[in-house]
Amino acid sequence: MNNKPAQREYFLDSIRAWLMLLGIPFHISLLYSSHTWHMNSETPSWWLTLFNDFIHSFRMQVFFVISGYFSYMLFLRYPLKKWWKVRVERVGIPFLTAIPLLTLPQFLMLQYVKGKTESWHTLTFYQKYNTLAWELVSHLWFLLVLVVLTTIGIMAFRLLRRRQMRRRADAFDNMSMAKLTLIFLLLGVVYAAVRRTLFLLYPPILSDGLFNFVVMQTLFYVPFFILGALAFIHPRLKALFTAPSPWCVFAALLGFIAYLMNQRYGSGEAWMYETESVITMVLGLWMVNVVFSFGYRLLNFKSARVTYFVNASLFIYLVHHPLTLFFGAWIMPNINSNLLGFTTGLVFVVGCAIVLYEIHLRIPLLRFLFSGKPQQKAEKAQTASR
């Protein structure tokens, strides 16, 4: 345990916040893309589809690297049991709060919009359970995965800590991007093999909501989570990501083109999803360098405005999804232009989310429920400063 606070990583805080906030244009562009979603524009936009694909191809991989980085930093600060409790509370409480307050009303709204309320009673028990698993977890899936990864981290981080304390030469001290690319390529192939095996043995399991979130999503993102912890342990590995690399930019561009080709010409009945997992595994790695290097140069500073959005990012992300679907159901049909609709959607969703964020800041119970952080210390600090 080390109670000495680590030096503030402003650029990582900012990147994590903006990656989360990027979910807003991602979901609004999904309304106007050619991808089938809860609701879609009558005339899909090719450039908003491209924009949507770009965000989706790398955003969460980079996010989980940062999550692993900060998780290991806190692991060194707290005793093991307290670390697990603190981390699970900070993601688990908002997750459990958002289900009755956000995704359940969102599900009921979608049932009404799609006219499925009258057919609900015709579903089997499993169909009802699986529908609720998908719809109630919804955009909260990353919080559920973080709970699982934190639990996995109990053993993984202890092993990493032991290696760190031995102070022996480590392969990651002199790791190159080429070697990391090979490692992540192999991890992508292994994941694809696991998925294909499940598809051949029992295809319905891949359509099960909880299995998808708890098992498949966790398996895919755990390498990025561990990579984040390794970047905290090994300064040279972190420097590998923060140093600009034209090679990574070029490789990421080729990877994104391959991702698009697979999206356009792949088949769900063939190897489309397995191919996508291999592509996005290495693409995510390359984008860690691209995002970290740009963020290190442009976002590594303290700013009151940036701090506001860093603190607000989780709440805004949680509430933006039902706001986006509300916009798609009742406002989007009245706007003929995709560009105007996308812009209006951004203004509507962001504006409403910030207003809701400011309201929730004034209610201690809601502040706790949407952050997982005890409010007594914060209130005492505010009182003492007056």
Side-chain angles (χ1 to χ4, degrees), residues 89-117:
E89 284 178 348
R90 290 186 182 178
V91 296
I93 292 175
F95 171 74
L96 294 175
T97 298
I99 290 177
L101 296 184
L102 296 176
T103 58
L104 179 58
Q106 172 184 285
F107 167 70
L108 296 176
M109 178 187 74
L110 290 175
Q111 289 288 102
Y112 172 78
V113 170
K114 294 182 176 181
K116 293 184 177 181
T117 53

Side-chain angles (χ1 to χ4, degrees), residues 8 13 24 37 42 46 58 85 92 134 182 188 198 210 215 220-222 236 239 263 302 312 314 331 342 368:
R8 193 72 176 180
D13 274 334
I24 300 175
W37 200 36
E42 292 183 0
W46 70 266
F58 75 91
K85 180 175 181 293
W134 282 105
L182 179 59
L198 292 172
L210 282 182
V215 178
F220 183 82
Y221 289 110
V222 69
R236 292 185 182 179
Q263 286 282 315
K302 185 177 181 180
L314 176 59
I331 301 177
F342 176 72
F368 167 71

Side-chain angles (χ1 to χ4, degrees), residues 244-363:
S245 171
W247 185 91
C248 282
V249 174
F250 180 70
L253 177 60
L254 292 181
F256 180 58
I257 293 173
Y259 175 83
L260 290 178
M261 297 293 287
N262 186 56
Q263 286 282 315
R264 300 298 181 270
Y265 303 109
S267 169
E269 298 298 322
W271 292 83
M272 174 182 172
Y273 296 113
E274 289 79 7
T275 304
E276 179 179 306
S277 65
V278 176
I279 294 172
T280 51
M281 187 70 77
V282 291
L283 175 58
L285 173 67
W286 295 327
M287 287 301 294
V288 170
N289 172 270
V290 175
V291 174
F292 275 32
S293 59
F294 276 98
Y296 187 72
R297 293 173 60 188
L298 303 176
L299 300 173
N300 201 20
F301 59 89
K302 185 177 181 180
S303 165
R305 187 174 299 176
V306 172
T307 300
Y308 176 86
F309 281 104
V310 167
N311 294 331
S313 60
L314 176 59
F315 180 90
I316 291 177
Y317 180 82
L318 294 180
V319 302
H320 92 277
H321 200 266
L323 289 172
T324 299
L325 293 174
F326 178 90
F327 171 83
W330 284 290
I331 301 177
M332 181 179 69
N334 299 310
I335 303 175
N336 295 325
S337 168
N338 286 337
L339 176 59
L340 179 60
F342 176 72
T343 306
T344 304
L346 282 177
V347 173
F348 172 80
V349 173
V350 173
C352 291
I354 290 177
V355 170
L356 291 173
Y357 175 70
E358 288 295 329
I359 293 173
H360 116 285
L361 285 179
R362 290 155 176 76
I363 305 174

Side-chain angles (χ1 to χ4, degrees), residues 50-97:
L50 183 67
F51 176 71
N52 182 268
D53 285 335
F54 175 68
I55 297 175
H56 187 257
S57 66
F58 75 91
R59 183 172 68 100
M60 295 312 297
Q61 296 94 306
V62 181
F63 174 84
F64 278 104
V65 171
I66 300 176
S67 296
Y69 185 95
F70 284 125
S71 292
Y72 192 82
M73 181 180 70
L74 291 177
F75 175 80
L76 298 181
R77 186 180 303 176
Y78 297 119
L80 182 61
K81 291 183 179 179
K82 184 177 180 180
W83 169 78
W84 184 86
K85 180 175 181 293
V86 168
R87 292 300 297 162
V88 169
E89 284 178 348
R90 290 186 182 178
V91 296
I93 292 175
F95 171 74
L96 294 175
T97 298

Side-chain angles (χ1 to χ4, degrees), residues 179-225:
K179 292 179 181 178
L180 274 177
T181 298
L182 179 59
I183 292 171
F184 273 71
L185 177 63
L186 293 174
L187 289 171
V189 171
V190 170
Y191 178 87
V194 171
R195 190 192 185 284
R196 195 65 185 182
T197 300
L198 292 172
F199 179 77
L200 294 174
L201 295 178
Y202 188 61
I205 194 65
L206 296 174
S207 300
D208 185 274
L210 282 182
F211 183 83
N212 176 75
F213 297 130
V214 175
V215 178
M216 299 306 294
Q217 296 284 55
T218 299
L219 283 177
F220 183 82
Y221 289 110
V222 69
F224 296 96
F225 188 75

Side-chain angles (χ1 to χ4, degrees), residues 160-170 173 233-234:
L160 292 177
R161 179 60 174 160
R162 289 173 187 170
R163 291 175 61 89
Q164 184 182 7
M165 293 179 67
R166 290 171 187 167
R167 298 183 181 277
R168 295 178 180 176
D170 195 295
D173 284 326
I233 296 170
H234 303 284

